[in-house]
Amino acid sequence: MANNKRPGPSAKERMAKPRNEMPLHSAEERIRHFNEVPTGYSLEQAMDEASRCIQCKKPDCIGGCPVGINIPEFLLQLEGGDVAGAAKTIRQNNFLPAACGRVCPQDKQCEAVCIVGKKNDSVGIGNLERFVADYEREHDLDRMPEIAPDTGKKIAVIGSGPAGMTAAYELRVRGHDVTIFEAFHRGGGVMVYGIPRFRLPLEIIDEDLKLLEEMGVEIVYDMIIGRTLSLDDLLETEGFDSVFIASGAGLPKMLGVPGENLNGVYSANEYLTRIYLMHANYFPEHPTPIYQGKKLAVIGAGNTAMDVLRTGKRLGAEVTCYYRRSHDEAPARSEELEHAEQEFIDFKWLSSPIEFIGDENGFVKAIKCEVMELSEPDDSGRRRPVPTGESFTDEVDTVVFSLGCDVNPTIPDSTRDVTTNKWGIMMVDPVTYHTSKPGVFAGGDTVTGGSTVILAMGQAKTAAKYIHEYVMGNFEYELNVPTDPEAPGVQWGFAK
Ligand SMILES: Cc1cc2nc3c(=O)[nH]c(=O)nc-3n(C[C@H](O)[C@H](O)[C@H](O)COP(=O)(O)OP(=O)(O)OC[C@H]3O[C@@H](n4cnc5c(N)ncnc54)[C@H](O)[C@@H]3O)c2cc1C
């Protein structure tokens, strides 16, 4: 399985080498600030870690990456100290490597299928992708791709999250005139207003947006498509030949239990957006406020919940996570859960809120939970929580719901012909990502109902390929856009 012609240690020796752990700020120190938690590999550590790759002849890691990065190739270049070459290799497939190196669920993707991981810890592919991208940025290496001659075709992209940014990049590289329309005053989508600074520093996304603009992509901020301009306007009066919808899934889900409307109860989106986009923690210097309580309850145990818990901790609250299943079923990325556990956060597993209790002024003062136990696995393969009949009440002064999001209805509600299922997820042809409206494609959270940065990017890459064919007049497919309101959203996102 390994490429034995390679000089240096044998595959067996490489497989026996211990993984270079990512250096971190201590938990005691990091909860006092919003700086990034990992401090990054040195060049020597990165080269050593890359040398643990055994260069398999059939590398599963490439297939494990939704955008198909040639992982063995970049690791070989990095092992030899050719960081610029490694950066070029990664960039052939991934336009956002610094973000992906930090937030991708590598433990469930490329690293999960790494052969070294069968005998030892898998190669630290995510940490190395991050190292290469940071080195490239810090050393100001040339990131400008080759751009094909102008095609004269105009394409609108709605939303500047990872799906929108990736589609814009892929379409501009093919020579099209691309405009991104973004509702907020900043670009980056959830990578900017959801994922906290201690996981993904802002300057990384700003650099990627700057590159898009240098490539000639126009970004129009403060423009809600579906309000100021409609999708039909873009196609009928604004002269766009095609539109890619990448407006994400930003409509929070709540539990539907009494007391959810009390003051001090937030959705995760609102809480994080107020802090990271509006700087509410610096009120009144910034105009948007947030209630900074002393006892924060977070409902849910996914990535978003971990971000809220850790943000609340940094704002000085005593923080508790309430989740109806147990630790092993928590959907958060394992590293995020581990970091939250290190940061003195309390976890109440098998606890399902049934009521929020308010004081005489309408502010939340307590949370009542039912104690759960686990029964047989459900459709997701995780064991189903069932009530035990016991309950408990905790005093709290802030509650944040982190139960996932639905797709915002603004675009389908304001447009003819774009169909959704009964949960509001946009329906697309599963091969081309074409919607039910001619010339309109969609990808990312708006078609999955909520997923990951890399899957949104994988879908956008695929959609861009077909948008190119569409505007160039080579689009000949029998489309299969589901019409059944019960049909699920697209569940995958590997670039094809
Ligand atoms: C707190 C949090 C933590 C997360 N952590 C991780 C993680 O660790 N790893 C990971 O891989 N994924 C994570 N995710 C999920 C990931 O961020 C999303 O899957 C990803 O951002 C989806 O990309 P997108 O481009 O489809 O949508 P988004 O990132 O949501 O971007 C959509 C953009 O469209 C804009 N928009 C919406 N409607 C309109 C309109 N009508 N007109 C114009 N613009 C519009 C929005 O303002 C936004 O900028 C996290 C999500 C959250 C909320």
Side-chain angles (χ1 to χ4, degrees):
M1 64 183 165
N3 183 349
N4 295 326
K5 293 196 188 116
R6 187 175 170 215
S10 67
K12 200 170 163 198
E13 286 164 336
R14 289 174 190 274
M15 281 185 92
K17 287 174 79 165
R19 177 167 163 139
N20 288 268
E21 287 310 326
M22 173 59 86
L24 305 176
H25 286 296
S26 74
E28 287 80 2
E29 195 227 311
R30 68 191 191 229
I31 56 170
R32 287 193 251 115
H33 56 68
F34 282 83
N35 296 344
E36 208 181 352
V37 170
T39 53
Y41 281 155
S42 64
L43 176 60
E44 291 68 33
Q45 282 172 313
M47 287 167 66
D48 186 63
E49 183 59 25
S51 76
R52 296 180 62 235
C53 172
I54 59 168
Q55 297 289 320
C56 306
K57 281 193 183 135
K58 286 190 189 150
D60 289 341
C61 53
I62 300 180
C65 171
V67 293
I69 295 175
N70 189 340
I71 293 167
E73 177 73 18
F74 102 74
L75 294 182
L76 191 61
Q77 290 164 314
L78 185 53
E79 181 187 350
D82 178 12
V83 191
K88 281 213 166 73
T89 302
I90 295 173
R91 278 203 175 271
Q92 279 165 13
N93 298 70
N94 188 345
F95 158 63
L96 301 170
C100 291
R102 286 168 165 84
V103 306
C104 266
Q106 292 98 2
D107 55 336
K108 297 191 175 80
Q109 295 179 345
C110 53
E111 293 183 21
V113 290
C114 168
I115 299 294
V116 176
K118 298 218 186 300
K119 294 254 162 75
N120 193 347
D121 291 325
S122 56
V123 177
I125 300 167
N127 290 341
L128 292 172
E129 184 183 23
R130 171 201 153 119
F131 171 82
V132 171
D134 288 356
Y135 184 100
E136 183 194 43
R137 195 177 61 257
E138 284 155 14
H139 291 79
D140 214 9
L141 302 183
D142 183 18
R143 301 186 304 154
M144 184 58 71
E146 205 173 307
I147 296 176
D150 280 353
T151 60
K153 303 292 177 191
K154 269 182 76 177
I155 298 161
V157 172
I158 306 175
S160 66
M165 289 173 76
T166 303
Y169 177 91
E170 296 286 333
L171 290 162
R172 181 66 199 122
V173 163
R174 290 171 168 90
H176 305 303
D177 178 351
V178 181
T179 305
I180 300 180
F181 294 97
E182 167 56 51
F184 277 129
H185 60 281
R186 287 203 75 113
V190 171
M191 295 188 295
V192 162
Y193 63 77
I195 301 179
R197 301 293 170 265
F198 54 83
R199 289 215 286 128
L200 183 56
L202 192 57
E203 62 266 24
I204 287 175
I205 307 303
D206 282 348
E207 280 289 313
D208 294 325
L209 288 162
K210 197 168 115 202
L211 175 62
L212 278 179
E213 289 184 311
E214 284 166 3
M215 288 167 63
V217 172
E218 189 186 355
I219 310 181
V220 179
Y221 291 107
D222 298 312
M223 172 66 81
I224 303 180
I225 301 300
R227 292 272 157 77
T228 321
L229 278 179
S230 71
L231 188 56
D232 298 317
D233 293 335
L234 295 178
L235 290 163
E236 290 163 17
T237 56
E238 298 297 315
F240 288 97
D241 297 288
S242 176
V243 178
F244 179 64
I245 306 175
S247 49
L251 193 68
K253 287 184 190 157
M254 303 296 269
L255 267 182
V257 301
E260 283 183 358
N261 292 329
L262 288 165
N263 292 320
V265 179
Y266 295 91
S267 70
N269 270 35
E270 183 182 355
Y271 185 80
L272 295 171
T273 304
R274 278 177 183 247
I275 291 169
Y276 292 114
L277 195 70
M278 314 295 187
H279 311 291
N281 44 328
Y282 297 117
F283 179 81
E285 291 105 275
H286 289 263
T288 302
I290 192 148
Y291 182 65
Q292 289 192 43
K294 291 195 173 55
K295 285 195 172 194
L296 169 68
V298 179
I299 319 300
N303 283 324
T304 307
M306 298 306 126
D307 289 339
V308 176
L309 289 159
R310 299 174 70 199
T311 298
K313 191 78 196 176
R314 281 159 175 75
L315 294 178
E318 203 180 288
V319 186
T320 307
C321 174
Y322 296 81
Y323 182 53
R324 62 197 182 123
R325 291 180 158 108
S326 74
H327 176 280
D328 292 350
E329 287 83 24
R333 218 173 146 234
S334 51
E335 187 184 83
E336 303 315 326
L337 184 53
E338 197 182 306
H339 286 177
E341 286 174 323
Q342 290 164 358
E343 290 175 7
F344 315 103
I345 285 161
D346 194 14
F347 286 84
K348 294 208 171 174
W349 305 113
L350 296 167
S351 305
S352 183
I354 46 176
E355 186 182 354
F356 299 98
I357 302 158
D359 66 14
E360 60 285 4
N361 298 317
F363 281 83
V364 66
K365 67 168 189 182
I367 170 175
K368 186 171 179 192
C369 289
E370 198 156 42
V371 179
M372 313 297 277
E373 63 186 4
L374 295 178
S375 71
E376 296 308 305
D378 62 15
D379 294 344
S380 71
R382 294 177 305 164
R383 293 177 65 196
R384 189 193 308 272
V386 290
T388 59
E390 284 176 38
S391 64
F392 65 90
T393 303
D394 283 348
E395 271 181 34
V396 297
D397 56 17
T398 322
V399 174
V400 180
F401 275 94
S402 182
L403 302 170
C405 282
D406 287 325
V407 175
N408 191 310
T410 311
I411 294 177
D413 281 359
S414 62
T415 302
R416 284 169 279 138
D417 317 326
V418 172
T419 53
T420 62
N421 66 9
K422 69 173 189 182
W423 299 280
I425 295 174
M426 268 175 224
M427 296 283 95
V428 288
D429 171 61
V431 176
T432 61
Y433 292 88
H434 192 283
T435 67
S436 50
K437 187 174 177 71
V440 178
F441 295 72
D445 279 4
T446 197
V447 307
T448 56
S451 178
T452 59
V453 166
I454 195 73
L455 288 177
M457 292 176 67
Q459 293 180 343
K461 264 186 90 136
T462 305
K465 182 178 125 188
Y466 290 106
I467 294 171
H468 173 71
E469 290 183 12
Y470 180 87
V471 295
M472 300 310 280
N474 308 320
F475 187 79
E476 283 168 16
Y477 298 94
E478 204 168 304
L479 294 178
N480 177 19
V481 182
T483 49
D484 178 0
E486 302 272 341
V490 178
Q491 300 299 323
W492 60 90
F494 286 74
K496 286 178 232 130

